[in-house]
Amino acid sequence: MMDVKRKLTVAAALVALGAGVLVASATAAQASTPVCDDPEYSLVQDGGSLVASAYKFCSGVRYSQSVLLQRANGDGSYTNLVSGIGQVVYACPGTATTTYRATMNGSARRSLTANCG
């Protein structure tokens, strides 16, 4: 009878220990969830180039976001020019006034009319 009691006590202790590990793991996972700010986007003309960038800061760490730079066409459509992660640079082929937009993570975020086309 004593042996059965001992086995039940050990089994109960192991179950309690396992539950404690699960609770501790869940708490650690919740504590490590990063806090993220809204993404930061920019589209500027820098001399003879257009520069588009997109970043997000989570718990003090900067994460690059996808960026696509597009040129407006006369019919309302857009032509893809350059894409990348974090920042892209497009060398202007001329000085005609043209509208551009930076699309980040699938959404148009910034537009700019520049003497660049």
CSV table of all heavy atoms in Angstrom, one decimal, residues 39-103:
chain,number,residue,atom,x,y,z
A,39,PRO,N,4.5,51.8,-38.9
A,39,PRO,CA,5.6,51.9,-39.9
A,39,PRO,C,5.9,53.3,-40.3
A,39,PRO,O,5.0,54.2,-40.3
A,39,PRO,CB,5.1,51.1,-41.1
A,39,PRO,CG,4.1,50.1,-40.5
A,39,PRO,CD,3.4,50.9,-39.4
A,40,GLU,N,7.1,53.6,-40.6
A,40,GLU,CA,7.5,54.9,-41.1
A,40,GLU,C,7.8,54.8,-42.5
A,40,GLU,O,8.6,54.0,-43.0
A,40,GLU,CB,8.7,55.4,-40.3
A,40,GLU,CG,8.5,55.6,-38.8
A,40,GLU,CD,9.7,56.1,-38.1
A,40,GLU,OE1,10.7,56.5,-38.7
A,40,GLU,OE2,9.6,56.1,-36.8
A,41,TYR,N,7.3,55.7,-43.3
A,41,TYR,CA,7.4,55.7,-44.8
A,41,TYR,C,8.0,57.1,-45.2
A,41,TYR,O,7.6,58.1,-44.7
A,41,TYR,CB,6.1,55.5,-45.5
A,41,TYR,CG,5.3,54.3,-45.0
A,41,TYR,CD1,4.2,54.5,-44.2
A,41,TYR,CD2,5.7,53.0,-45.3
A,41,TYR,CE1,3.5,53.4,-43.7
A,41,TYR,CE2,5.0,51.9,-44.9
A,41,TYR,CZ,3.9,52.2,-44.1
A,41,TYR,OH,3.1,51.1,-43.6
A,42,SER,N,8.7,57.0,-46.3
A,42,SER,CA,9.2,58.3,-46.9
A,42,SER,C,9.4,58.1,-48.4
A,42,SER,O,9.7,57.0,-48.9
A,42,SER,CB,10.4,58.8,-46.3
A,42,SER,OG,11.5,58.0,-46.6
A,43,LEU,N,9.2,59.2,-49.2
A,43,LEU,CA,9.5,59.3,-50.6
A,43,LEU,C,10.0,60.7,-50.9
A,43,LEU,O,9.2,61.6,-50.7
A,43,LEU,CB,8.2,58.9,-51.4
A,43,LEU,CG,8.4,59.1,-52.9
A,43,LEU,CD1,9.5,58.2,-53.5
A,43,LEU,CD2,7.1,58.8,-53.6
A,44,VAL,N,11.2,60.8,-51.2
A,44,VAL,CA,11.8,62.1,-51.5
A,44,VAL,C,12.7,62.1,-52.7
A,44,VAL,O,13.1,61.1,-53.2
A,44,VAL,CB,12.7,62.6,-50.3
A,44,VAL,CG1,11.9,62.7,-49.0
A,44,VAL,CG2,13.9,61.6,-50.1
A,45,GLN,N,12.9,63.3,-53.3
A,45,GLN,CA,13.8,63.5,-54.4
A,45,GLN,C,15.1,64.0,-53.8
A,45,GLN,O,15.1,64.9,-53.1
A,45,GLN,CB,13.3,64.5,-55.5
A,45,GLN,CG,14.2,64.6,-56.7
A,45,GLN,CD,13.6,65.4,-57.8
A,45,GLN,OE1,12.6,66.0,-57.7
A,45,GLN,NE2,14.3,65.3,-58.9
A,46,ASP,N,16.2,63.3,-54.1
A,46,ASP,CA,17.5,63.6,-53.6
A,46,ASP,C,18.4,63.9,-54.8
A,46,ASP,O,18.9,62.9,-55.4
A,46,ASP,CB,18.0,62.5,-52.7
A,46,ASP,CG,19.4,62.9,-52.1
A,46,ASP,OD1,19.8,64.0,-52.2
A,46,ASP,OD2,20.0,62.0,-51.5
A,47,GLY,N,18.5,65.1,-55.3
A,47,GLY,CA,19.2,65.4,-56.5
A,47,GLY,C,18.6,64.7,-57.7
A,47,GLY,O,17.4,64.9,-58.0
A,48,GLY,N,19.3,63.9,-58.4
A,48,GLY,CA,18.8,63.2,-59.6
A,48,GLY,C,18.2,61.8,-59.3
A,48,GLY,O,18.2,61.0,-60.2
A,49,SER,N,17.8,61.6,-58.0
A,49,SER,CA,17.3,60.3,-57.7
A,49,SER,C,16.0,60.5,-56.8
A,49,SER,O,15.9,61.5,-56.1
A,49,SER,CB,18.3,59.5,-56.9
A,49,SER,OG,19.4,59.2,-57.7
A,50,LEU,N,15.2,59.4,-56.8
A,50,LEU,CA,14.1,59.3,-55.9
A,50,LEU,C,14.4,58.2,-54.9
A,50,LEU,O,15.0,57.2,-55.3
A,50,LEU,CB,12.8,58.9,-56.6
A,50,LEU,CG,12.3,59.9,-57.7
A,50,LEU,CD1,11.0,59.4,-58.3
A,50,LEU,CD2,12.0,61.3,-57.0
A,51,VAL,N,14.1,58.5,-53.6
A,51,VAL,CA,14.5,57.5,-52.6
A,51,VAL,C,13.2,57.2,-51.8
A,51,VAL,O,12.6,58.2,-51.3
A,51,VAL,CB,15.5,58.1,-51.6
A,51,VAL,CG1,15.9,57.1,-50.5
A,51,VAL,CG2,16.8,58.5,-52.4
A,52,ALA,N,12.8,56.0,-51.8
A,52,ALA,CA,11.6,55.5,-51.0
A,52,ALA,C,12.1,54.6,-49.9
A,52,ALA,O,13.0,53.7,-50.1
A,52,ALA,CB,10.6,54.8,-51.9
A,53,SER,N,11.5,54.7,-48.7
A,53,SER,CA,11.9,53.9,-47.6
A,53,SER,C,10.7,53.5,-46.7
A,53,SER,O,9.8,54.3,-46.7
A,53,SER,CB,13.1,54.5,-46.8
A,53,SER,OG,12.6,55.7,-46.2
A,54,ALA,N,10.8,52.4,-46.1
A,54,ALA,CA,9.8,51.9,-45.2
A,54,ALA,C,10.4,51.1,-44.1
A,54,ALA,O,11.1,50.1,-44.3
A,54,ALA,CB,8.7,51.1,-45.9
A,55,TYR,N,10.1,51.5,-42.8
A,55,TYR,CA,10.7,50.8,-41.6
A,55,TYR,C,9.6,50.7,-40.6
A,55,TYR,O,8.7,51.5,-40.5
A,55,TYR,CB,11.9,51.5,-41.1
A,55,TYR,CG,13.1,51.5,-42.0
A,55,TYR,CD1,13.3,52.7,-42.8
A,55,TYR,CD2,13.9,50.5,-42.2
A,55,TYR,CE1,14.3,52.7,-43.7
A,55,TYR,CE2,14.9,50.5,-43.1
A,55,TYR,CZ,15.1,51.7,-43.9
A,55,TYR,OH,16.2,51.7,-44.8
A,56,LYS,N,9.7,49.7,-39.7
A,56,LYS,CA,8.9,49.5,-38.5
A,56,LYS,C,9.8,49.3,-37.4
A,56,LYS,O,10.7,48.5,-37.5
A,56,LYS,CB,7.9,48.4,-38.8
A,56,LYS,CG,7.0,48.1,-37.6
A,56,LYS,CD,5.9,47.2,-37.9
A,56,LYS,CE,6.3,45.8,-38.4
A,56,LYS,NZ,5.3,44.8,-38.5
A,57,PHE,N,9.5,49.9,-36.2
A,57,PHE,CA,10.3,49.7,-35.0
A,57,PHE,C,9.5,48.9,-34.0
A,57,PHE,O,8.3,49.2,-33.7
A,57,PHE,CB,10.7,51.1,-34.4
A,57,PHE,CG,11.6,51.8,-35.2
A,57,PHE,CD1,11.2,52.7,-36.2
A,57,PHE,CD2,13.0,51.7,-35.0
A,57,PHE,CE1,12.1,53.4,-37.0
A,57,PHE,CE2,13.9,52.4,-35.8
A,57,PHE,CZ,13.5,53.2,-36.8
A,58,CYS,N,10.1,47.8,-33.6
A,58,CYS,CA,9.4,46.9,-32.6
A,58,CYS,C,10.4,46.7,-31.4
A,58,CYS,O,11.5,46.2,-31.6
A,58,CYS,CB,9.1,45.5,-33.2
A,58,CYS,SG,7.9,45.6,-34.6
A,59,SER,N,10.0,47.2,-30.3
A,59,SER,CA,10.8,47.1,-29.1
A,59,SER,C,12.2,47.6,-29.3
A,59,SER,O,13.1,46.9,-28.9
A,59,SER,CB,10.8,45.6,-28.6
A,59,SER,OG,9.4,45.2,-28.3
A,60,GLY,N,12.3,48.7,-30.0
A,60,GLY,CA,13.6,49.3,-30.2
A,60,GLY,C,14.4,48.7,-31.4
A,60,GLY,O,15.5,49.2,-31.6
A,61,VAL,N,13.9,47.7,-32.1
A,61,VAL,CA,14.6,47.1,-33.2
A,61,VAL,C,14.0,47.6,-34.5
A,61,VAL,O,12.7,47.6,-34.6
A,61,VAL,CB,14.6,45.6,-33.1
A,61,VAL,CG1,15.3,45.0,-34.3
A,61,VAL,CG2,15.2,45.1,-31.8
A,62,ARG,N,14.8,48.0,-35.5
A,62,ARG,CA,14.2,48.5,-36.7
A,62,ARG,C,14.1,47.3,-37.7
A,62,ARG,O,15.1,46.6,-38.0
A,62,ARG,CB,15.1,49.6,-37.3
A,62,ARG,CG,14.6,50.2,-38.6
A,62,ARG,CD,15.4,51.3,-39.0
A,62,ARG,NE,16.4,50.9,-39.9
A,62,ARG,CZ,17.2,51.7,-40.7
A,62,ARG,NH1,17.1,53.0,-40.5
A,62,ARG,NH2,18.1,51.2,-41.5
A,63,TYR,N,12.9,47.2,-38.3
A,63,TYR,CA,12.7,46.1,-39.3
A,63,TYR,C,12.3,46.8,-40.6
A,63,TYR,O,11.5,47.6,-40.7
A,63,TYR,CB,11.5,45.2,-38.8
A,63,TYR,CG,11.8,44.4,-37.6
A,63,TYR,CD1,11.4,44.9,-36.3
A,63,TYR,CD2,12.4,43.2,-37.7
A,63,TYR,CE1,11.7,44.2,-35.2
A,63,TYR,CE2,12.7,42.4,-36.6
A,63,TYR,CZ,12.3,42.9,-35.3
A,63,TYR,OH,12.6,42.2,-34.2
A,64,SER,N,13.0,46.3,-41.6
A,64,SER,CA,12.8,46.8,-43.0
A,64,SER,C,11.5,46.3,-43.5
A,64,SER,O,11.1,45.1,-43.3
A,64,SER,CB,13.9,46.5,-43.9
A,64,SER,OG,15.1,47.0,-43.4
A,65,GLN,N,10.7,47.1,-44.3
A,65,GLN,CA,9.5,46.7,-44.9
A,65,GLN,C,9.7,46.7,-46.4
A,65,GLN,O,10.6,47.3,-46.9
A,65,GLN,CB,8.4,47.6,-44.5
A,65,GLN,CG,8.2,47.8,-43.0
A,65,GLN,CD,7.7,46.5,-42.4
A,65,GLN,OE1,6.6,46.1,-42.6
A,65,GLN,NE2,8.5,45.9,-41.5
A,66,SER,N,8.8,46.0,-47.1
A,66,SER,CA,8.9,46.0,-48.6
A,66,SER,C,8.5,47.3,-49.2
A,66,SER,O,7.6,48.0,-48.7
A,66,SER,CB,8.1,44.8,-49.2
A,66,SER,OG,6.7,45.1,-48.9
A,67,VAL,N,9.2,47.7,-50.3
A,67,VAL,CA,9.0,49.0,-50.9
A,67,VAL,C,8.9,48.8,-52.4
A,67,VAL,O,9.7,48.1,-53.0
A,67,VAL,CB,10.1,50.0,-50.6
A,67,VAL,CG1,9.8,51.3,-51.3
A,67,VAL,CG2,10.3,50.2,-49.1
A,68,LEU,N,7.9,49.4,-53.1
A,68,LEU,CA,7.8,49.4,-54.5
A,68,LEU,C,7.6,50.8,-55.0
A,68,LEU,O,6.7,51.5,-54.5
A,68,LEU,CB,6.6,48.5,-54.9
A,68,LEU,CG,6.2,48.5,-56.4
A,68,LEU,CD1,7.3,48.0,-57.3
A,68,LEU,CD2,4.9,47.8,-56.6
A,69,LEU,N,8.5,51.3,-55.9
A,69,LEU,CA,8.4,52.6,-56.4
A,69,LEU,C,7.7,52.5,-57.8
A,69,LEU,O,8.2,51.7,-58.7
A,69,LEU,CB,9.7,53.3,-56.5
A,69,LEU,CG,9.8,54.7,-57.0
A,69,LEU,CD1,8.9,55.6,-56.0
A,69,LEU,CD2,11.2,55.2,-57.1
A,70,GLN,N,6.7,53.3,-58.1
A,70,GLN,CA,6.0,53.3,-59.3
A,70,GLN,C,5.8,54.7,-59.9
A,70,GLN,O,5.8,55.7,-59.2
A,70,GLN,CB,4.5,52.7,-59.1
A,70,GLN,CG,4.5,51.3,-58.5
A,70,GLN,CD,3.1,50.9,-58.2
A,70,GLN,OE1,2.4,51.6,-57.6
A,70,GLN,NE2,2.8,49.7,-58.6
A,71,ARG,N,5.8,54.7,-61.3
A,71,ARG,CA,5.6,56.0,-62.0
A,71,ARG,C,4.1,56.0,-62.6
A,71,ARG,O,3.7,55.0,-63.1
A,71,ARG,CB,6.6,56.1,-63.2
A,71,ARG,CG,6.4,57.3,-64.0
A,71,ARG,CD,7.3,57.4,-65.2
A,71,ARG,NE,7.0,56.3,-66.1
A,71,ARG,CZ,8.0,55.4,-66.5
A,71,ARG,NH1,9.2,55.5,-66.1
A,71,ARG,NH2,7.6,54.4,-67.3
A,72,ALA,N,3.5,57.1,-62.5
A,72,ALA,CA,2.1,57.3,-63.0
A,72,ALA,C,2.2,57.4,-64.5
A,72,ALA,O,3.0,58.1,-65.1
A,72,ALA,CB,1.4,58.5,-62.4
A,73,ASN,N,1.2,56.7,-65.2
A,73,ASN,CA,1.1,56.8,-66.6
A,73,ASN,C,-0.1,57.8,-66.9
A,73,ASN,O,-0.9,58.0,-66.0
A,73,ASN,CB,0.8,55.5,-67.2
A,73,ASN,CG,2.0,54.5,-66.9
A,73,ASN,OD1,3.1,54.9,-67.1
A,73,ASN,ND2,1.6,53.3,-66.5
A,74,GLY,N,-0.2,58.3,-68.1
A,74,GLY,CA,-1.2,59.2,-68.5
A,74,GLY,C,-2.6,58.6,-68.4
A,74,GLY,O,-3.6,59.4,-68.2
A,75,ASP,N,-2.7,57.3,-68.5
A,75,ASP,CA,-4.1,56.7,-68.4
A,75,ASP,C,-4.5,56.3,-67.0
A,75,ASP,O,-5.5,55.7,-66.8
A,75,ASP,CB,-4.1,55.4,-69.3
A,75,ASP,CG,-3.1,54.4,-68.8
A,75,ASP,OD1,-2.4,54.5,-67.8
A,75,ASP,OD2,-3.1,53.3,-69.5
A,76,GLY,N,-3.8,56.7,-66.0
A,76,GLY,CA,-4.2,56.4,-64.6
A,76,GLY,C,-3.5,55.2,-64.1
A,76,GLY,O,-3.7,54.9,-62.9
A,77,SER,N,-2.9,54.4,-64.9
A,77,SER,CA,-2.2,53.2,-64.4
A,77,SER,C,-0.8,53.6,-63.9
A,77,SER,O,-0.4,54.7,-64.1
A,77,SER,CB,-2.1,52.2,-65.5
A,77,SER,OG,-1.3,52.7,-66.6
A,78,TYR,N,-0.1,52.6,-63.3
A,78,TYR,CA,1.3,52.8,-62.8
A,78,TYR,C,2.2,51.8,-63.4
A,78,TYR,O,1.8,50.6,-63.6
A,78,TYR,CB,1.3,52.8,-61.3
A,78,TYR,CG,0.7,54.0,-60.7
A,78,TYR,CD1,-0.7,54.2,-60.5
A,78,TYR,CD2,1.5,55.0,-60.2
A,78,TYR,CE1,-1.2,55.3,-59.9
A,78,TYR,CE2,1.0,56.2,-59.7
A,78,TYR,CZ,-0.3,56.3,-59.5
A,78,TYR,OH,-0.9,57.4,-58.9
A,79,THR,N,3.4,52.2,-63.6
A,79,THR,CA,4.5,51.3,-64.1
A,79,THR,C,5.5,51.1,-62.9
A,79,THR,O,5.9,52.0,-62.3
A,79,THR,CB,5.3,51.9,-65.2
A,79,THR,OG1,4.4,52.1,-66.3
A,79,THR,CG2,6.4,51.0,-65.7
A,80,ASN,N,5.7,49.8,-62.6
A,80,ASN,CA,6.7,49.5,-61.5
A,80,ASN,C,8.1,49.8,-62.0
A,80,ASN,O,8.5,49.5,-63.1
A,80,ASN,CB,6.6,48.0,-61.2
A,80,ASN,CG,5.3,47.5,-60.6
A,80,ASN,OD1,4.5,48.4,-60.2
A,80,ASN,ND2,5.0,46.3,-60.7
A,81,LEU,N,8.8,50.5,-61.1
A,81,LEU,CA,10.2,50.9,-61.5
A,81,LEU,C,11.3,50.2,-60.7
A,81,LEU,O,12.2,49.6,-61.3
A,81,LEU,CB,10.4,52.4,-61.2
A,81,LEU,CG,9.4,53.4,-62.0
A,81,LEU,CD1,9.6,54.8,-61.5
A,81,LEU,CD2,9.7,53.2,-63.5
A,82,VAL,N,11.1,50.1,-59.4
A,82,VAL,CA,12.2,49.4,-58.6
A,82,VAL,C,11.5,49.0,-57.3
A,82,VAL,O,10.6,49.6,-56.8
A,82,VAL,CB,13.4,50.3,-58.4
A,82,VAL,CG1,13.0,51.6,-57.6
A,82,VAL,CG2,14.5,49.6,-57.7
A,83,SER,N,11.9,47.8,-56.8
A,83,SER,CA,11.4,47.3,-55.5
A,83,SER,C,12.5,46.8,-54.7
A,83,SER,O,13.6,46.5,-55.2
A,83,SER,CB,10.3,46.3,-55.7
A,83,SER,OG,10.9,45.1,-56.3
A,84,GLY,N,12.3,46.7,-53.4
A,84,GLY,CA,13.3,46.2,-52.5
A,84,GLY,C,12.8,46.1,-51.1
A,84,GLY,O,11.6,46.3,-50.8
A,85,ILE,N,13.7,45.9,-50.1
A,85,ILE,CA,13.4,45.8,-48.7
A,85,ILE,C,14.1,47.0,-48.0
A,85,ILE,O,15.3,47.1,-48.1
A,85,ILE,CB,13.8,44.5,-48.1
A,85,ILE,CG1,13.2,43.3,-48.8
A,85,ILE,CG2,13.5,44.4,-46.6
A,85,ILE,CD1,11.7,43.2,-48.7
A,86,GLY,N,13.3,47.8,-47.3
A,86,GLY,CA,13.9,48.9,-46.5
A,86,GLY,C,14.0,50.2,-47.2
A,86,GLY,O,13.3,51.2,-46.9
A,87,GLN,N,14.8,50.2,-48.3
A,87,GLN,CA,15.0,51.4,-49.1
A,87,GLN,C,15.3,51.1,-50.5
A,87,GLN,O,16.0,50.2,-50.8
A,87,GLN,CB,16.1,52.3,-48.5
A,87,GLN,CG,16.3,53.6,-49.1
A,87,GLN,CD,17.4,54.4,-48.4
A,87,GLN,OE1,18.5,54.1,-48.5
A,87,GLN,NE2,17.0,55.5,-47.8
A,88,VAL,N,14.7,51.9,-51.4
A,88,VAL,CA,15.1,51.8,-52.9
A,88,VAL,C,15.4,53.1,-53.4
A,88,VAL,O,14.9,54.1,-52.9
A,88,VAL,CB,13.9,51.1,-53.7
A,88,VAL,CG1,13.6,49.7,-53.2
A,88,VAL,CG2,12.6,52.0,-53.6
A,89,VAL,N,16.3,53.1,-54.4
A,89,VAL,CA,16.7,54.4,-55.1
A,89,VAL,C,16.5,54.2,-56.6
A,89,VAL,O,16.8,53.2,-57.2
A,89,VAL,CB,18.2,54.6,-54.8
A,89,VAL,CG1,18.7,55.9,-55.5
A,89,VAL,CG2,18.5,54.7,-53.3
A,90,TYR,N,15.9,55.2,-57.2
A,90,TYR,CA,15.6,55.2,-58.6
A,90,TYR,C,16.3,56.5,-59.2
A,90,TYR,O,16.0,57.6,-58.8
A,90,TYR,CB,14.1,55.3,-58.8
A,90,TYR,CG,13.7,55.4,-60.3
A,90,TYR,CD1,13.9,54.4,-61.2
A,90,TYR,CD2,13.2,56.6,-60.8
A,90,TYR,CE1,13.5,54.5,-62.5
A,90,TYR,CE2,12.8,56.8,-62.1
A,90,TYR,CZ,13.0,55.7,-63.0
A,90,TYR,OH,12.6,55.8,-64.3
A,91,ALA,N,17.2,56.2,-60.1
A,91,ALA,CA,17.9,57.3,-60.8
A,91,ALA,C,17.0,58.0,-61.8
A,91,ALA,O,16.5,57.3,-62.7
A,91,ALA,CB,19.2,56.8,-61.5
A,92,CYS,N,16.7,59.3,-61.7
A,92,CYS,CA,15.9,60.0,-62.6
A,92,CYS,C,16.4,60.0,-64.1
A,92,CYS,O,17.6,60.4,-64.2
A,92,CYS,CB,15.6,61.4,-62.2
A,92,CYS,SG,14.8,61.5,-60.6
A,93,PRO,N,15.6,59.6,-65.1
A,93,PRO,CA,16.1,59.6,-66.4
A,93,PRO,C,16.0,60.9,-67.2
A,93,PRO,O,16.4,61.1,-68.3
A,93,PRO,CB,15.2,58.5,-67.1
A,93,PRO,CG,13.9,58.7,-66.4
A,93,PRO,CD,14.3,59.0,-64.9
A,94,GLY,N,15.4,61.9,-66.5
A,94,GLY,CA,15.2,63.2,-67.2
A,94,GLY,C,14.7,64.3,-66.2
A,94,GLY,O,14.9,64.1,-65.0
A,95,THR,N,14.1,65.3,-66.8
A,95,THR,CA,13.6,66.4,-65.9
A,95,THR,C,12.2,66.8,-66.1
A,95,THR,O,11.7,67.8,-65.6
A,95,THR,CB,14.5,67.7,-66.2
A,95,THR,OG1,14.4,68.0,-67.6
A,95,THR,CG2,15.9,67.5,-65.8
A,96,ALA,N,11.4,66.0,-66.9
A,96,ALA,CA,10.0,66.2,-67.0
A,96,ALA,C,9.2,66.0,-65.7
A,96,ALA,O,9.6,65.2,-64.9
A,96,ALA,CB,9.4,65.3,-68.1
A,97,THR,N,8.2,66.8,-65.5
A,97,THR,CA,7.4,66.6,-64.3
A,97,THR,C,6.6,65.4,-64.4
A,97,THR,O,5.8,65.2,-65.3
A,97,THR,CB,6.5,67.9,-64.1
A,97,THR,OG1,7.3,69.0,-64.0
A,97,THR,CG2,5.7,67.7,-62.8
A,98,THR,N,6.8,64.5,-63.4
A,98,THR,CA,6.1,63.2,-63.4
A,98,THR,C,5.7,62.9,-61.9
A,98,THR,O,6.4,63.3,-61.0
A,98,THR,CB,7.1,62.1,-63.9
A,98,THR,OG1,7.6,62.5,-65.2
A,98,THR,CG2,6.4,60.8,-64.0
A,99,THR,N,4.6,62.1,-61.8
A,99,THR,CA,4.1,61.7,-60.5
A,99,THR,C,4.6,60.3,-60.2
A,99,THR,O,4.5,59.4,-61.1
A,99,THR,CB,2.6,61.8,-60.4
A,99,THR,OG1,2.2,63.2,-60.6
A,99,THR,CG2,2.1,61.4,-59.0
A,100,TYR,N,5.1,60.1,-59.0
A,100,TYR,CA,5.5,58.8,-58.6
A,100,TYR,C,4.8,58.4,-57.3
A,100,TYR,O,4.3,59.3,-56.5
A,100,TYR,CB,7.0,58.8,-58.3
A,100,TYR,CG,7.8,59.1,-59.5
A,100,TYR,CD1,8.1,60.4,-59.9
A,100,TYR,CD2,8.3,58.1,-60.3
A,100,TYR,CE1,8.8,60.7,-61.1
A,100,TYR,CE2,9.0,58.3,-61.5
A,100,TYR,CZ,9.3,59.6,-61.8
A,100,TYR,OH,10.0,59.9,-63.0
A,101,ARG,N,4.7,57.2,-57.0
A,101,ARG,CA,4.2,56.7,-55.7
A,101,ARG,C,5.0,55.6,-55.1
A,101,ARG,O,5.6,54.8,-55.9
A,101,ARG,CB,2.7,56.4,-55.8
A,101,ARG,CG,2.4,55.0,-56.4
A,101,ARG,CD,0.9,54.7,-56.4
A,101,ARG,NE,0.7,53.4,-57.0
A,101,ARG,CZ,-0.5,53.0,-57.2
A,101,ARG,NH1,-1.6,53.7,-56.9
A,101,ARG,NH2,-0.7,51.8,-57.8
A,102,ALA,N,5.1,55.5,-53.8
A,102,ALA,CA,5.8,54.5,-53.1
A,102,ALA,C,4.7,53.6,-52.5
A,102,ALA,O,3.9,54.1,-51.8
A,102,ALA,CB,6.7,55.0,-52.1
A,103,THR,N,4.7,52.3,-52.9
A,103,THR,CA,3.8,51.3,-52.3
A,103,THR,C,4.6,50.5,-51.4
A,103,THR,O,5.6,49.9,-51.7
A,103,THR,CB,3.2,50.5,-53.5
A,103,THR,OG1,2.6,51.4,-54.4
A,103,THR,CG2,2.2,49.5,-53.0
